[in-house]
Amino acid sequence: MTVERIVRIVAGFFVLLSLGLGVEASPLFHNANWLWFTAFVGLNLFQSGFTKFCPLDTILKKLGVPSGGTACS
């Protein structure tokens, strides 16, 4: 498993989880403020496409996870 795959998996999981917790029609609904977390993840992915800076990418590389190219792009 490479850094790039882990970043995409974690980002997708966070988006789906926060949507589940923030959308009233969801059986997991907790509070609509969870949608702010969805926006944060989306903004982070958007900016990393331009800057190639991704906090999770940095953390995973420091933990020794192998990289297969550029993450978050």
Side-chain angles (χ1 to χ4, degrees):
M1 187 80 68
T2 63
V3 168
E4 294 74 27
R5 289 185 68 195
I6 293 172
V7 166
R8 287 183 176 91
I9 290 168
V10 170
F13 174 75
F14 280 164
V15 166
L16 291 174
L17 178 65
S18 61
L19 283 173
L21 292 170
V23 174
E24 291 185 27
S26 169
L28 299 175
F29 177 73
H30 180 261
N31 187 317
N33 285 324
W34 279 102
L35 297 176
W36 288 105
F37 187 66
T38 306
F40 169 76
V41 173
L43 265 158
N44 189 38
L45 288 169
F46 182 75
Q47 69 80 24
S48 71
F50 292 103
T51 65
K52 295 196 189 278
F53 172 73
C54 179
L56 181 57
D57 177 76
T58 306
I59 292 168
L60 290 172
K61 285 180 180 174
K62 286 184 179 181
L63 291 174
V65 177
S67 178
T70 59
C72 295
S73 56

